[in-house]
């Protein structure tokens, strides 16, 4: 069900070093009063509310127009808080400890059996909860001061491009939320990797439900890593709420597997989301593009491409084009997460 919302005045407050305290002091009372606040994390901006407060969680779903079947990630400020949110089964305790030692705080979300104190609304009625500890300094400072874990999905309207700056959150949620804490641009730019861990006879199995900054290669030391089985149409739901179509610009996006697949319609304006932006390489020389944006200008580096992906998709989406053409990147390391987001941005169903 969608929740009606009255039009609010949305304020942006800077969380720069000089203004850090003020930002914490502005956000915490709102969260304590059951409001929702957009906060920067190292991955993308999140729309945060007290995870134990069902009314606050309902406001998150309302502001995003998010369907209630899509569960939220709960963010803990300290590792000790994990026990307030989830119950770690004995047989995976050791593996979970090792993973958290290696990747927390950071862009790794782990799906665990849920603690009864977490409202069913947070988990869409599932008996598991997705938990992470963000490396974002201001995010954790606010969580600590509040004293409660924060439920926080990406701070965009449902199905749209995730925001990696306070300005992008404003474009998505102005009038729907009271406050955006501006911590500058996110340092990862892509949402966290979501995993599920299962005990195995020899080694545990780690299933990647959503690829992200913590890559398959990085997880391989901790167990046998797999992607969930795909359904017969080849797309598959990897995690509840991970619909094939997501991260979608309003402008139709074409992800071409091969330059020879490009047949432009006459009179239409095409923009290119290139990997390197170098003429003579990739797709740049293929057409007289109305706009070209490069994910990683010059050399083509995947971390830089990941960092800039949502920002440039949003920029091209606002450039009044008829189509955006995205050039694929190689599917290794971070390239897996980038291609996952590009495929979902291109899907129309
Ligand atoms: O980096 C991130 O993870 C960002 C920042 C704000 O922390 N958050 C984020 O949240 O990307 P969101 O809501 O946009 O994506 C969360 C996804 C859901 O769509 C769902 O697929 C998955 O997490 N999820 C949540 N709870 C789950 C559960 N119990 N089991 C499996 N997947 C779950
Ligand atoms: Mg999201």
């Amino acid at each position: 069900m969608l929740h009606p919302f009255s039009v609010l005045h949305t304020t942006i407050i800077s969380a720069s070093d000089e203004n850090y305290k003020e930002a914490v002091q502005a956000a915490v009372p709102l969260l304590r009063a059951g409001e929702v606040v957009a906060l920067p994390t190292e991955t993308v901006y999140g729309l945060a509310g007290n995870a134990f407060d069902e009314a606050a969680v309902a406001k998150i779903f309302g502001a995003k127009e998010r369907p209630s079947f899509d569960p939220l990630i709960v963010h803990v400020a300290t590792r000790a808080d994990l026990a307030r949110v989830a119950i770690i089964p004995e047989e995976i305790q050791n593996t979970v400890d090792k993973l958290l030692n290696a990747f927390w705080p950071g862009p790794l979300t782990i799906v665990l059996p849920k603690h009864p104190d977490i409202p069913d609304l947070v988990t869409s009625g599932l008996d598991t909860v997705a938990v992470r500890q963000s490396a974002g300094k201001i995010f954790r400072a606010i969580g600590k001061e509040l004293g409660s874990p924060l439920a926080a999905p990406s701070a965009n309207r449902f199905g749209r491009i995730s925001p990696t700056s306070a300005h992008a959150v404003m474009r998505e949620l102005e009038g729907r939320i009271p406050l955006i804490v501006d911590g500058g641009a996110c340092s990862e730019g892509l949402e966290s990797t979501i995993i599920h861990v299962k005990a195995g006879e020899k080694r545990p199995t780690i299933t990647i439900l959503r690829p992200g900054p913590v890559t398959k290669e990085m997880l391989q030391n901790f167990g046998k890593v797999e992607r969930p089985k795909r359904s017969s149409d080849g797309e598959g739901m990897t995690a509840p709420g991970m619909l094939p179509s997501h991260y979608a610009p309003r402008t139709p996006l074409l992800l071409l597997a091969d330059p020879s697949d490009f047949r432009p319609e006459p009179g239409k304006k095409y923009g290119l989301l290139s990997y390197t932006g170098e003429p003579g390489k990739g797709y740049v020389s293929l057409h007289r593009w109305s706009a070209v944006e490069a994910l990683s200008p010059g050399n083509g580096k995947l971390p830089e491409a990941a960092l800039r992906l949502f920002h440039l998709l949003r920029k091209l989406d606002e450039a009044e084009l008829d189509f955006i053409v995205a050039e694929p990147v190689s599917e290794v390391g971070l390239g897996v997460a980038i291609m996952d987001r590009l495929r979902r941005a291109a899907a129309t169903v």
Side-chain angles (χ1 to χ4, degrees):
M1 191 189 78
L2 299 183
H3 296 263
F5 34 77
S6 48
V7 176
L8 296 171
H9 178 71
T10 305
T11 307
I12 297 190
I13 185 165
S14 159
S16 63
D17 287 348
E18 317 79 76
N19 209 52
Y20 197 79
K21 257 198 175 150
E22 282 82 346
V24 175
Q25 281 164 5
V28 171
L30 282 170
L31 291 165
R32 220 162 252 153
E35 264 310 329
V36 295
V37 176
L39 302 176
T41 84
E42 76 281 36
T43 57
V44 299
Y45 275 69
L47 181 60
N50 182 347
F52 292 139
D53 179 345
E54 199 160 347
V57 174
K59 280 189 186 168
I60 297 176
F61 279 94
K64 281 183 58 90
E65 297 178 53
R66 180 175 177 117
S68 58
F69 61 75
D70 192 358
L72 308 181
I73 293 177
V74 175
H75 300 67
V76 289
T78 64
R79 183 96 170 249
D81 271 354
L82 179 57
R84 300 170 68 192
V85 171
I87 298 157
I88 306 178
E90 181 77 37
E91 67 273 21
I92 59 166
Q93 176 84 56
N94 201 9
T95 311
V96 170
D97 281 345
K98 284 187 195 156
L99 284 163
L100 302 192
N101 288 341
F103 299 110
W104 274 19
L108 183 73
T109 297
I110 180 157
V111 172
L112 292 166
K114 149 189 178 320
H115 191 289
D117 287 353
I118 293 290
D120 287 335
L121 188 57
V122 172
T123 60
S124 302
L126 295 174
D127 52 14
T128 55
V129 60
V131 194
R132 90 173 181 105
Q133 183 189 28
S134 166
K137 198 171 139 217
I138 185 84
F139 191 99
R140 273 192 296 153
I142 287 168
K144 244 187 205 158
E145 183 72 24
L146 178 70
S148 284
L150 291 168
S154 50
N156 50 279
R157 275 172 279 154
F158 182 68
R160 305 253 317 127
I161 303 168
S162 298
T164 52
S165 67
H167 172 77
V169 178
M170 199 66 160
R171 302 287 288 176
E172 291 287 325
L173 299 177
E174 183 171 16
R176 299 180 178 206
I177 61 173
L179 184 69
I180 300 170
V181 174
D182 184 354
C186 299
S187 61
E188 299 281 354
L190 280 187
E191 302 90 342
S192 62
T193 304
I194 305 179
I195 61 166
H196 177 262
V197 180
K198 211 172 76 193
E201 266 175 36
K202 286 197 192 119
R203 300 186 77 202
T205 303
I206 300 171
T207 308
I208 299 181
L209 302 174
R210 177 175 72 184
V214 175
T215 62
K216 182 177 177 184
E217 291 81 352
M218 291 158 78
L219 291 167
Q220 256 152 358
N221 284 339
F222 302 88
K224 183 169 163 280
V225 183
E226 57 182 38
R227 288 300 308 274
K229 308 264 176 304
R230 282 169 183 243
S231 62
S232 53
D233 65 5
E235 262 298 339
M237 296 267 278
T238 44
M242 288 274 295
L243 301 176
S245 170
H246 218 108
Y247 314 108
R250 293 202 172 82
T251 317
L253 184 131
L254 311 168
L255 177 63
L256 300 181
D258 190 283
S260 65
D261 294 339
F262 184 52
R263 289 185 198 81
E265 284 178 45
K268 299 282 186 201
K269 284 166 79 177
Y270 288 83
L272 175 68
L273 184 63
S274 165
Y275 184 30
T276 67
E278 294 286 290
K281 270 199 206 166
Y283 290 50
V284 175
S285 312
L286 196 65
H287 181 71
R288 285 178 63 128
W289 306 102
S290 301
V292 176
E293 296 294 346
L295 287 171
S296 178
N299 292 329
K301 294 199 173 70
L302 290 170
E304 187 181 28
L307 186 59
R308 288 161 55 84
L309 175 70
F310 288 142
H311 168 69
L312 293 180
L313 262 182
R314 189 175 288 278
K315 191 169 171 192
L316 285 169
D317 198 22
E318 290 176 1
E320 302 196 355
L321 302 160
D322 294 303
F323 294 97
I324 300 168
V325 172
E327 191 179 317
V329 302
S330 61
E331 251 171 306
V332 289
L334 256 179
V336 176
I338 296 173
M339 287 301 287
D340 170 76
R341 304 306 190 272
L342 281 176
R343 285 200 185 97
R344 289 177 203 282
T348 51
V349 286

